[in-house]
Amino acid sequence: MSIKANLLEVKKSLRDNVELVAVSKYHSIEETREAYDAGQRDFGESREQELRLKHEALPKDIRWHFIGKLQTNKVKYIAPYVSIIEAVDSLKLMKEIEKQAAKCNRTIDVLLELHLAQEETKSGMLPEECLAMLEEGEWREMEHVRICGIMMMASNTDDEEQIRSEFLRAKALFDDIKGKYFAQSEAFSIRSYGMSGDYLLAQECGSNHVRVGSRIFGER
Ligand SMILES: *Cc1c(COP(=O)(O)O)cnc(C)c1O
């Protein structure tokens, strides 16, 4: 099947309130353009250099989501044009985003990445770390960072019940954080979880923002 056909099929399976991010990482500019031509505007990338090349080559109405681990020294390169940084896993990174966004005179949307998976290797903040950071409150002074929700990756397992319980945990944490810190914020609304293998399950478990790569573009 073509990229266009895959994309349309994924879109058709999603509810209206669920946003689709097409994860184009490791796929070519031409493949990314195929999805663009089929109407897709939100794309996810995880490496700064690759993102830069695609941003330069492709139409400027694309909304680029940085979904990978972002090193603080790379923030300055993407700050001028990135739409949203999805995997913010420390106050240090958020402070750097604030600094670079201020220099560009823009506000950058971010998501708080939570570590809920069983593996040691998955990145993100433990729920208690995230809550402690929010409680401490330095983020409130950041005028160029807008916290728009949470992001997480489930454990890499075939155990559907395990994945379901992690997704439901993410939903519960979102609600908790929303109630405690962002009740007045319309922007704090994004629950980013679900990838090619589990986006329908994620949708069932309250995701409203799925990041789908190989299901659209094929294997990397
Ligand atoms: C690669 C990646 C995806 C997409 O993965 P697929 O299984 O190809 O859909 C989603 N989220 C993150 C953070 C990724 O790194």
Side-chain angles (χ1 to χ4, degrees):
M1 284 227 297
S2 68
I3 288 171
K4 179 178 179 180
N6 290 339
L7 177 74
L8 296 180
E9 198 174 277
V10 171
K11 276 180 97 79
K12 211 170 66 185
S13 66
L14 294 174
R15 295 188 194 122
D16 286 346
N17 70 325
V18 180
E19 187 180 347
L20 172 63
V21 180
V23 177
S24 48
K25 68 180 186 198
Y26 308 124
H27 288 282
S28 69
I29 287 167
E30 284 324 306
E31 289 169 300
T32 308
R33 193 190 302 276
E34 253 182 86
Y36 179 89
D37 288 341
Q40 183 64 23
R41 293 294 179 272
D42 289 88
F43 288 89
E45 288 285 335
S46 60
R47 295 187 305 185
E48 181 275 317
Q49 276 197 341
E50 185 179 354
L51 172 54
R52 190 187 331 173
L53 293 174
K54 285 181 180 152
H55 167 67
E56 280 166 11
L58 288 163
K60 296 297 173 280
D61 61 342
I62 288 180
R63 291 179 292 273
W64 292 108
H65 297 231
F66 197 90
I67 62 170
K69 172 122 190 111
L70 182 59
Q71 283 163 341
T72 48
N73 63 351
K74 298 284 173 68
V75 174
K76 58 179 174 290
Y77 300 122
I78 65 170
Y81 65 87
V82 74
S83 278
I84 179 165
I85 298 174
E86 293 210 11
V88 171
D89 60 0
S90 69
L91 181 64
K92 178 169 169 246
L93 178 57
M94 210 184 313
K95 283 161 91 165
E96 181 63 16
I97 297 168
E98 164 66 20
K99 182 174 148 193
Q100 298 300 334
K103 275 191 192 165
C104 303
N105 212 357
R106 53 190 307 251
T107 300
I108 296 179
D109 288 347
V110 304
L111 301 180
L112 304 170
E113 185 187 6
L114 297 174
H115 177 119
L116 304 177
Q118 303 226 297
E119 295 107 282
E120 293 265 314
T121 50
K122 286 265 156 72
S123 50
M125 292 175 272
L126 293 172
E128 56 270 28
E129 285 173 340
C130 182
L131 288 164
M133 183 190 82
L134 291 168
E135 186 60 34
E136 185 270 343
E138 193 173 346
W139 59 276
R140 292 181 193 275
E141 315 299 318
M142 299 183 188
E143 291 177 0
H144 304 86
V145 168
R146 187 168 73 154
I147 302 177
C148 293
I150 58 123
M151 167 296 190
M152 62 80 84
M153 270 191 281
S155 295
N156 186 11
T157 169
D158 292 331
D159 182 350
E160 195 176 303
E161 284 318 305
Q162 173 70 28
I163 297 173
R164 184 192 306 275
S165 79
E166 290 171 8
F167 285 162
L168 292 174
R169 181 103 195 284
K171 172 66 166 69
L173 281 161
F174 171 90
D175 290 342
D176 187 29
I177 292 169
K178 172 90 181 163
K180 280 196 177 112
Y181 301 102
F182 297 98
Q184 310 304 322
S185 160
E186 250 177 72
F188 192 91
S189 61
I190 299 177
R191 297 178 293 276
S192 175
Y193 45 90
M195 319 199 324
S196 287
D198 54 23
Y199 67 94
L200 291 175
L201 179 58
Q203 169 175 262
E204 259 179 59
C205 298
S207 169
N208 60 7
H209 188 107
V210 296
R211 309 176 306 266
V212 179
S214 46
R215 182 71 192 75
I216 296 171
F217 293 101
E219 292 304 320
R220 289 183 288 273

